[in-house]
Amino acid sequence: MRLLFTVTGPSCSGKTTLVRQLLETGKFAEIISTTSRQPRGGEKHGVDYYFKSAKECEILAEEGCFAEHIIFKDNHYGVEIDEIERVRKTGKMPIVIVEPNGLS
């Protein structure tokens, strides 16, 4: 069975808090999203997001590499299929916060 646990909801609804609590159980592993926006203070590539150029994101989208993708405020946000597979290989349940309008 190939499951993916997604968390969706409006801003300030507690999505991040819920995901943090689930990760603490040791049964879940977080999927890292990709974005074309610039890192904010303290954010790290490969930890908070995979930071890529807008062009790189456009190519990934055109090639069907995203399971979820949206452009918000001129920045790309998405979940790469390869990232989902990476997390599945850990043996833990993949979990990710997604934007419902970006689902493919």
Side-chain angles (χ1 to χ4, degrees), residues 53-66 76:
S53 71
K55 186 63 177 170
E56 288 173 300
C57 290
E58 289 168 13
I59 291 168
L60 290 169
E62 289 170 5
E63 293 179 352
C65 297
F66 285 118
H76 293 262

Side-chain angles (χ1 to χ4, degrees), residues 6-7 10 12 16-17 22-23 26 30 36-37 39 45 54-55 60 64-65 67-68 71-73 75 77 92 101:
T6 62
V7 178
C12 300
T16 301
T17 300
L22 290 170
L23 290 170
E30 189 169 16
S36 63
R37 75 163 171 75
H45 178 79
K55 186 63 177 170
L60 290 169
C65 297
E68 178 259 350
I71 298 174
F72 179 73
K73 294 187 177 179
N75 290 304
Y77 292 87
K92 295 181 180 183
N101 295 322

Side-chain angles (χ1 to χ4, degrees), residues 5-10 13 15 18-19 96-101 103:
F5 194 85
T6 62
V7 178
T8 298
S13 63
K15 299 180 300 290
L18 174 62
V19 168
V96 65
I97 297 171
V98 295
E99 164 56 49
N101 295 322
L103 292 173

Side-chain angles (χ1 to χ4, degrees), residues 3 23 34 36 46-47 50-51 70 82 88 90 93-94 96:
L3 299 174
L23 290 170
T34 297
S36 63
V47 175
Y50 293 115
F51 295 99
I70 191 164
D82 287 347
R88 281 191 173 134
T90 69
M93 172 68 72
V96 65

